[in-house]
Amino acid sequence: MALSSRLWRLLTLRRGATQSFRQLARTWGSRGHCGSEVIRNTRPFKRGLLFSALSFLGFETYQVISQAAVVHATAKVEEILEQADYLYESGETEKLYQLLTQYKESEDAELLWRLARASRDIAQLSRTSEEEKKVLVYEALEYAKRALEKNESSFAAHKWYAICISDVGDYEGIKVKIANAYIIKEHFQKAIELNPKDATSIHLMGIWCYTFAEMPWYQRRIAKVLFANPPTSTYEEALKYFHRAEQVDPNFYSKNLLLLGKTYLKLNNKKLAAFWLVKAKGYPAHTEEDKQIQTEAAQLLTGL
C-alpha cells in the first residue's frame, strides 16, 4: 500500500510537469517563439522523468521487499524459539536437538545458545556413547561461543559459554581445567550481573564454589604448583549461592535442593541436610537428571 501510494504521487508529479511544459509552450508560441520546437524539446525531459520514476519505483520496491524480508526472518526466528522452548519444557530432548540443528548456521544468539544447551543435554543422556558425548560437548562449546560473539549482552550466552567450557575441561586435563575456572567464574558472574533474577546462573556459581571447596588435596597441590593464586572457595560461600537461587525461584531445580542438602552435610548440619534431601527426593521427575537426583538423595538419607 505504501509503495503504490508513493508511485501514484510520482506519476501525478510527472503528468503535472508535462502539462506545465505544454502550457509554457503555448504561451511562448503566442509571443512569437517556436512553440513546436519547445514541445519537441520536452520529449527528452519526459523520457528522463519516466526513467527517474522507474528508478525510484525499483528503489522503493527494493526497500519494501528488504523490510518485509527482515520482518519475515524475525518472525520465523521467534516461531522457532517458541517451538524450542515448548520442547525444552516438555522434556523432549532429542526432538529439540533435531529442530535446532536445522538452524546451526544461524546468526541469532538466542537460537545459538539454545542449540548449545540442546547439544549438551543430548551428551548427558545415558544412552549417548562416550565418543558421541565428546563430539557433542565440543559442538556445544562452539555454538555457545558464537552466541556470545553475536550478543555479549545476553546473560544466557554467558551462562552456557561457561557451562560448556567446564564440560570441555573434562577432556583437557587438570591444568586446563583449573585455568578455565577463572573464565568460568567470570562468565557466571557476568550472567548474574545481566540478570540477577536468573536462578540457574546463581545456582551454577554455587556449584563453582562447592567444586573448589571440595577439591582433593592432591589437586590443590597441583594448582599451587601451576598457578600463583589458584581458585579457592568455601562451603559457606557455596551455601550462600544455593540459598540465593532458591529465594529467587523456589523449587526451580532438583539439583539445587540436592546440593543444599549435600552442603549442609559437609558443614555437619544433619538436620538441615535431611530437610533439603527430602525435598530433593520428592521433587517431580521430569527429566533423566531428576530421576538420578531422586536416587542420590534417597541414598544420602539412608546414610543419615
Side-chain angles (χ1 to χ4, degrees), residues 10-43:
L10 187 65
L11 292 175
T12 303
L13 175 63
R14 175 179 175 266
R15 284 197 298 268
T18 303
Q19 290 170 358
S20 296
F21 263 72
R22 285 175 177 166
Q23 180 63 40
L24 183 62
R26 283 195 295 269
T27 303
W28 283 10
S30 64
R31 294 181 180 178
H33 293 281
C34 183
S36 60
E37 182 182 351
V38 174
I39 292 174
R40 282 197 303 272
N41 288 340
T42 65
R43 288 172 185 169

Short mmCIF file of all heavy atoms in Angstrom, two decimals, residues 10-43:
data_model
loop_
_atom_site.label_atom_id
_atom_site.label_comp_id
_atom_site.label_asym_id
_atom_site.label_seq_id
_atom_site.Cartn_x
_atom_site.Cartn_y
_atom_site.Cartn_z
N LEU A 10 4.31 10.08 -7.57
CA LEU A 10 5.34 10.37 -8.55
C LEU A 10 4.75 10.52 -9.95
O LEU A 10 5.12 11.43 -10.70
CB LEU A 10 6.38 9.24 -8.54
CG LEU A 10 7.63 9.49 -9.39
CD1 LEU A 10 8.42 10.67 -8.84
CD2 LEU A 10 8.49 8.24 -9.43
N LEU A 11 3.82 9.65 -10.33
CA LEU A 11 3.20 9.73 -11.64
C LEU A 11 2.35 11.00 -11.78
O LEU A 11 2.29 11.61 -12.84
CB LEU A 11 2.34 8.49 -11.90
CG LEU A 11 3.13 7.17 -12.05
CD1 LEU A 11 2.18 6.00 -12.17
CD2 LEU A 11 4.08 7.25 -13.23
N THR A 12 1.70 11.38 -10.68
CA THR A 12 0.92 12.63 -10.67
C THR A 12 1.84 13.82 -10.91
O THR A 12 1.52 14.74 -11.67
CB THR A 12 0.19 12.80 -9.34
OG1 THR A 12 -0.64 11.66 -9.14
CG2 THR A 12 -0.66 14.05 -9.33
N LEU A 13 3.01 13.77 -10.29
CA LEU A 13 4.00 14.82 -10.47
C LEU A 13 4.45 14.88 -11.93
O LEU A 13 4.58 15.95 -12.53
CB LEU A 13 5.22 14.56 -9.57
CG LEU A 13 6.41 15.51 -9.73
CD1 LEU A 13 6.02 16.92 -9.35
CD2 LEU A 13 7.59 15.03 -8.88
N ARG A 14 4.65 13.70 -12.54
CA ARG A 14 5.07 13.66 -13.94
C ARG A 14 4.03 14.29 -14.85
O ARG A 14 4.34 15.10 -15.72
CB ARG A 14 5.34 12.20 -14.35
CG ARG A 14 5.68 12.04 -15.82
CD ARG A 14 5.94 10.57 -16.14
NE ARG A 14 6.15 10.43 -17.58
CZ ARG A 14 5.22 10.13 -18.45
NH1 ARG A 14 3.97 9.95 -18.03
NH2 ARG A 14 5.50 10.01 -19.73
N ARG A 15 2.74 13.92 -14.68
CA ARG A 15 1.67 14.50 -15.51
C ARG A 15 1.58 16.01 -15.33
O ARG A 15 1.42 16.76 -16.28
CB ARG A 15 0.33 13.85 -15.16
CG ARG A 15 0.17 12.44 -15.73
CD ARG A 15 -1.29 12.02 -15.72
NE ARG A 15 -1.82 11.97 -14.39
CZ ARG A 15 -1.83 10.87 -13.65
NH1 ARG A 15 -1.31 9.74 -14.12
NH2 ARG A 15 -2.35 10.87 -12.45
N GLY A 16 1.74 16.45 -14.09
CA GLY A 16 1.67 17.89 -13.81
C GLY A 16 2.79 18.64 -14.50
O GLY A 16 2.61 19.71 -15.06
N ALA A 17 3.99 18.03 -14.47
CA ALA A 17 5.14 18.68 -15.10
C ALA A 17 4.96 18.77 -16.60
O ALA A 17 5.28 19.78 -17.24
CB ALA A 17 6.42 17.90 -14.76
N THR A 18 4.44 17.69 -17.22
CA THR A 18 4.21 17.69 -18.67
C THR A 18 3.19 18.74 -19.07
O THR A 18 3.37 19.48 -20.04
CB THR A 18 3.72 16.30 -19.11
OG1 THR A 18 4.69 15.33 -18.71
CG2 THR A 18 3.57 16.23 -20.62
N GLN A 19 2.09 18.83 -18.30
CA GLN A 19 1.05 19.82 -18.60
C GLN A 19 1.60 21.24 -18.48
O GLN A 19 1.30 22.13 -19.28
CB GLN A 19 -0.14 19.63 -17.67
CG GLN A 19 -0.92 18.35 -17.97
CD GLN A 19 -1.94 18.02 -16.90
OE1 GLN A 19 -2.04 18.74 -15.91
NE2 GLN A 19 -2.68 16.95 -17.09
N SER A 20 2.45 21.46 -17.49
CA SER A 20 3.04 22.79 -17.30
C SER A 20 3.92 23.16 -18.48
O SER A 20 3.92 24.30 -18.95
CB SER A 20 3.87 22.81 -16.00
OG SER A 20 3.02 22.59 -14.91
N PHE A 21 4.68 22.20 -18.98
CA PHE A 21 5.52 22.48 -20.13
C PHE A 21 4.70 22.78 -21.38
O PHE A 21 5.06 23.65 -22.17
CB PHE A 21 6.47 21.28 -20.38
CG PHE A 21 7.82 21.49 -19.79
CD1 PHE A 21 8.00 21.43 -18.42
CD2 PHE A 21 8.92 21.77 -20.59
CE1 PHE A 21 9.24 21.63 -17.86
CE2 PHE A 21 10.16 21.96 -20.04
CZ PHE A 21 10.33 21.90 -18.66
N ARG A 22 3.60 22.05 -21.55
CA ARG A 22 2.74 22.33 -22.71
C ARG A 22 2.13 23.73 -22.61
O ARG A 22 2.04 24.46 -23.60
CB ARG A 22 1.63 21.28 -22.78
CG ARG A 22 2.13 19.93 -23.32
CD ARG A 22 1.05 18.89 -23.27
NE ARG A 22 1.54 17.64 -23.86
CZ ARG A 22 0.92 16.48 -23.73
NH1 ARG A 22 -0.21 16.42 -23.03
NH2 ARG A 22 1.40 15.38 -24.29
N GLN A 23 1.71 24.10 -21.42
CA GLN A 23 1.14 25.45 -21.22
C GLN A 23 2.20 26.50 -21.51
O GLN A 23 1.93 27.52 -22.14
CB GLN A 23 0.65 25.57 -19.76
CG GLN A 23 0.03 26.93 -19.44
CD GLN A 23 -1.22 27.20 -20.28
OE1 GLN A 23 -2.03 26.30 -20.49
NE2 GLN A 23 -1.36 28.42 -20.78
N LEU A 24 3.43 26.23 -21.06
CA LEU A 24 4.53 27.17 -21.30
C LEU A 24 4.81 27.29 -22.80
O LEU A 24 5.04 28.37 -23.33
CB LEU A 24 5.78 26.67 -20.57
CG LEU A 24 7.02 27.58 -20.65
CD1 LEU A 24 6.72 28.94 -20.01
CD2 LEU A 24 8.20 26.92 -19.97
N ALA A 25 4.74 26.15 -23.49
CA ALA A 25 4.99 26.17 -24.95
C ALA A 25 3.95 26.99 -25.67
O ALA A 25 4.27 27.77 -26.58
CB ALA A 25 5.00 24.73 -25.49
N ARG A 26 2.68 26.84 -25.29
CA ARG A 26 1.61 27.63 -25.93
C ARG A 26 1.80 29.11 -25.68
O ARG A 26 1.62 29.96 -26.55
CB ARG A 26 0.24 27.16 -25.41
CG ARG A 26 -0.22 25.84 -26.03
CD ARG A 26 -1.71 25.63 -25.78
NE ARG A 26 -1.99 25.47 -24.37
CZ ARG A 26 -2.00 24.28 -23.75
NH1 ARG A 26 -1.71 23.18 -24.42
NH2 ARG A 26 -2.30 24.21 -22.48
N THR A 27 2.21 29.42 -24.46
CA THR A 27 2.42 30.83 -24.11
C THR A 27 3.55 31.42 -24.93
O THR A 27 3.46 32.51 -25.49
CB THR A 27 2.74 30.96 -22.61
OG1 THR A 27 1.67 30.39 -21.88
CG2 THR A 27 2.91 32.42 -22.22
N TRP A 28 4.68 30.65 -24.98
CA TRP A 28 5.81 31.15 -25.77
C TRP A 28 5.43 31.25 -27.24
O TRP A 28 5.83 32.17 -27.94
CB TRP A 28 7.02 30.22 -25.59
CG TRP A 28 7.70 30.41 -24.28
CD1 TRP A 28 7.27 31.15 -23.25
CD2 TRP A 28 8.95 29.84 -23.90
NE1 TRP A 28 8.15 31.09 -22.22
CE2 TRP A 28 9.22 30.28 -22.59
CE3 TRP A 28 9.88 29.00 -24.53
CZ2 TRP A 28 10.35 29.92 -21.91
CZ3 TRP A 28 11.01 28.64 -23.85
CH2 TRP A 28 11.25 29.10 -22.55
N GLY A 29 4.64 30.31 -27.77
CA GLY A 29 4.23 30.32 -29.18
C GLY A 29 3.41 31.54 -29.50
O GLY A 29 3.54 32.16 -30.55
N SER A 30 2.54 31.98 -28.58
CA SER A 30 1.67 33.13 -28.81
C SER A 30 2.47 34.41 -28.79
O SER A 30 2.02 35.45 -29.27
CB SER A 30 0.56 33.18 -27.76
OG SER A 30 1.13 33.38 -26.48
N ARG A 31 3.71 34.34 -28.20
CA ARG A 31 4.54 35.54 -28.11
C ARG A 31 5.57 35.58 -29.23
O ARG A 31 6.51 36.37 -29.19
CB ARG A 31 5.26 35.59 -26.75
CG ARG A 31 4.28 35.76 -25.59
CD ARG A 31 5.01 35.83 -24.27
NE ARG A 31 4.08 36.00 -23.17
CZ ARG A 31 4.45 36.05 -21.89
NH1 ARG A 31 5.73 35.93 -21.58
NH2 ARG A 31 3.56 36.22 -20.94
N GLY A 32 5.42 34.65 -30.20
CA GLY A 32 6.31 34.71 -31.36
C GLY A 32 7.44 33.70 -31.30
O GLY A 32 8.28 33.71 -32.19
N HIS A 33 7.48 32.86 -30.24
CA HIS A 33 8.53 31.84 -30.18
C HIS A 33 8.05 30.61 -30.91
O HIS A 33 6.87 30.43 -31.18
CB HIS A 33 8.85 31.49 -28.72
CG HIS A 33 9.50 32.63 -28.00
ND1 HIS A 33 10.82 32.94 -28.15
CD2 HIS A 33 8.96 33.55 -27.14
CE1 HIS A 33 11.11 33.99 -27.39
NE2 HIS A 33 9.99 34.39 -26.77
N CYS A 34 8.97 29.71 -31.20
CA CYS A 34 8.63 28.48 -31.92
C CYS A 34 8.09 27.47 -30.93
O CYS A 34 8.85 26.76 -30.27
CB CYS A 34 9.88 27.95 -32.61
SG CYS A 34 9.55 26.49 -33.61
N GLY A 35 6.76 27.42 -30.84
CA GLY A 35 6.13 26.52 -29.87
C GLY A 35 6.41 25.08 -30.16
O GLY A 35 6.63 24.28 -29.26
N SER A 36 6.43 24.68 -31.46
CA SER A 36 6.66 23.26 -31.78
C SER A 36 8.04 22.82 -31.35
O SER A 36 8.25 21.69 -30.90
CB SER A 36 6.49 23.04 -33.28
OG SER A 36 7.43 23.83 -34.01
N GLU A 37 9.02 23.72 -31.42
CA GLU A 37 10.38 23.36 -31.01
C GLU A 37 10.44 23.12 -29.51
O GLU A 37 11.09 22.20 -29.04
CB GLU A 37 11.34 24.50 -31.39
CG GLU A 37 12.78 24.18 -31.03
CD GLU A 37 13.70 25.32 -31.37
OE1 GLU A 37 13.26 26.27 -32.03
OE2 GLU A 37 14.88 25.25 -30.96
N VAL A 38 9.73 23.97 -28.75
CA VAL A 38 9.71 23.81 -27.29
C VAL A 38 9.07 22.49 -26.92
O VAL A 38 9.55 21.76 -26.06
CB VAL A 38 8.95 24.98 -26.63
CG1 VAL A 38 8.80 24.74 -25.15
CG2 VAL A 38 9.70 26.29 -26.88
N ILE A 39 7.93 22.18 -27.60
CA ILE A 39 7.23 20.91 -27.30
C ILE A 39 8.13 19.74 -27.62
O ILE A 39 8.21 18.77 -26.88
CB ILE A 39 5.91 20.83 -28.08
CG1 ILE A 39 4.94 21.87 -27.54
CG2 ILE A 39 5.31 19.44 -27.98
CD1 ILE A 39 3.65 21.99 -28.33
N ARG A 40 8.85 19.82 -28.79
CA ARG A 40 9.76 18.73 -29.13
C ARG A 40 10.84 18.58 -28.09
O ARG A 40 11.26 17.48 -27.73
CB ARG A 40 10.38 19.00 -30.50
CG ARG A 40 9.44 18.70 -31.67
CD ARG A 40 10.25 18.59 -32.96
NE ARG A 40 11.03 19.79 -33.22
CZ ARG A 40 10.53 20.83 -33.90
NH1 ARG A 40 9.29 20.84 -34.34
NH2 ARG A 40 11.29 21.88 -34.11
N ASN A 41 11.31 19.69 -27.52
CA ASN A 41 12.38 19.65 -26.52
C ASN A 41 11.92 19.07 -25.19
O ASN A 41 12.75 18.78 -24.33
CB ASN A 41 12.96 21.05 -26.30
CG ASN A 41 13.79 21.49 -27.49
OD1 ASN A 41 14.22 20.65 -28.28
ND2 ASN A 41 13.99 22.79 -27.62
N THR A 42 10.62 19.00 -25.00
CA THR A 42 10.13 18.41 -23.74
C THR A 42 10.19 16.90 -23.77
O THR A 42 10.10 16.25 -22.73
CB THR A 42 8.68 18.84 -23.46
OG1 THR A 42 7.83 18.29 -24.46
CG2 THR A 42 8.54 20.34 -23.40
N ARG A 43 10.32 16.31 -24.98
CA ARG A 43 10.29 14.85 -25.06
C ARG A 43 11.46 14.20 -24.31
O ARG A 43 11.28 13.22 -23.58
CB ARG A 43 10.28 14.43 -26.53
CG ARG A 43 8.93 14.73 -27.18
CD ARG A 43 8.95 14.49 -28.67
NE ARG A 43 7.69 14.90 -29.28
CZ ARG A 43 7.49 15.00 -30.58
NH1 ARG A 43 8.51 14.74 -31.41
NH2 ARG A 43 6.31 15.36 -31.06
#
